Amino acid sequence: MTRTIRPFRRLAVGVAVAGIAALTLSACSGTADAAGTAGATESGSSSVDAATATSLSDFGTLADLEAAAKAEGKLNVIALPRDWANYGEIIDAFTAKYPEITVTEQSPDVSSAEEITAAKTNKGLDTAPDVFDLGLTVALQNTDQFAAYKVQTWDEIPDALKESTGLFVGDYGGYMSVGYDSKKFPAPAAITDLLKSEYKGAVALNGDPTQAGAAFGAVGLATVQNGGTLDDYSAGIDFFSKLNAAGNLLKVDVTTATVTSGETPVVFDWDYLNAAHTKDNKDWKVVVFPGNGYAAYYNQAINVDAPNPAAARLWQEFLYSDEVQNLWLKGGARPVRMEAMTEAGTIDADLAAKLPEAPKDTLVPTEEQSTAAGTLLGEKWAAAVQ
């Protein structure tokens, strides 16, 4: 997906993230207005327009929201590879719980930016995506495409990981890492080792950092591992420019298939995604470099023009439930409600204990830093790696 803890032990950014610190990314005709009308339902004596609902209380109860979503009978998701952070099991669990709702899985391998393009291109059609899963930079650039909604468990999500009105909300995350085929390559002890001749034509990114959260995170990691700060990603861009000049940067987007075939034998990606490749390659190893670690969360959002607005909101409630937060954990990712669930005793302790050790210092970009980095990458990236 080109598309971003045993606890985050120490944050080295100026972000108030108390929550993170304890955490142990055939068209049919119709219009947006028609979609909203189709989403209208009855809750008690009040008519509810699902397209404008900002919380469960607008529907009345969860049962009322479920009834409205079942009446729509459809949910369009996009950019959700089934091997990405356990999305396959999560989608199947939703389908099993709500068999009346048909889930259409669109374009699983597109980038965060391409999700937004799909929504704009298909606006007013019943094929438009209902929901998004996005890296932070793309989310910040497209808030006018989202409908604000606060799930029932809103208060258990750290403030620093959610837009205050519910336009987009962090859900699962992890550390940027390097995965490699240990049968073909030595273990890199530091990120600069990847500049060596042993890694000629072998090092790949999961997408384009101007469009994809995982690739953006790789530049962030290269920045903080090479003496830079999150206020200026120039050091990361410089690193990849050197990697390209050395002939080591492999310009192939990473997928499970490219890793399995050996086409992308050394990969920058989130630790939970790199770890998943061990199922297909017994020699695949994962390194989270010592020193400054780079962490990020992927964000959920509802399309403001969702053709199935009630189903979109039910999907959000489902994703932030205890059940699915533990399914993220099963996929090796760190769920956003982990601290609250640990305190409540609802976290799967066995799965939590299997998470890899966190770096000593963890860096998490703020919204402002992500926005500035996105602008810089838009200006400098293409020339740096051409």
Side-chain angles (χ1 to χ4, degrees), residues 47-93:
S47 179
V48 177
D49 183 357
T52 61
T54 58
S55 71
L56 187 62
S57 62
D58 289 333
F59 292 93
T61 66
L62 180 60
D64 293 322
L65 172 56
E66 290 173 332
K70 290 175 184 178
E72 292 173 346
K74 296 178 181 179
L75 174 69
N76 299 332
V77 300
I78 187 170
L80 306 184
R82 296 181 69 84
D83 57 356
W84 177 285
N86 206 26
Y87 254 125
E89 185 171 355
I90 289 168
I91 294 169
D92 290 344

Side-chain angles (χ1 to χ4, degrees), residues 115-135:
E115 294 181 57
I116 302 300
T117 299
K120 293 178 177 179
T121 301
N122 293 285
K123 180 179 179 180
L125 305 178
D126 66 0
T127 52
D130 289 304
V131 290
F132 305 112
D133 178 298
L134 304 159

Side-chain angles (χ1 to χ4, degrees), residues 93-105:
F94 183 85
T95 300
K97 188 170 185 176
Y98 302 111
E100 306 89 346
I101 302 173
T102 299
V103 179
T104 300
E105 301 174 47

Side-chain angles (χ1 to χ4, degrees), residues 226-241:
N226 284 281
T229 73
L230 296 183
D231 291 323
D232 182 357
Y233 278 44
S234 294
I237 296 174
D238 290 344
F239 170 80
F240 281 101
S241 180

Side-chain angles (χ1 to χ4, degrees), residues 11 14-20 136 157-163 168 170 297 299 336 364-367:
L11 293 179
V15 160
V17 199
I20 300 180
L136 180 59
I157 301 169
D159 289 344
L161 296 178
K162 58 190 179 186
E163 194 277 331
F168 60 87
Y297 279 74
N299 299 271
V336 75
V364 182
T366 65
E367 292 186 7

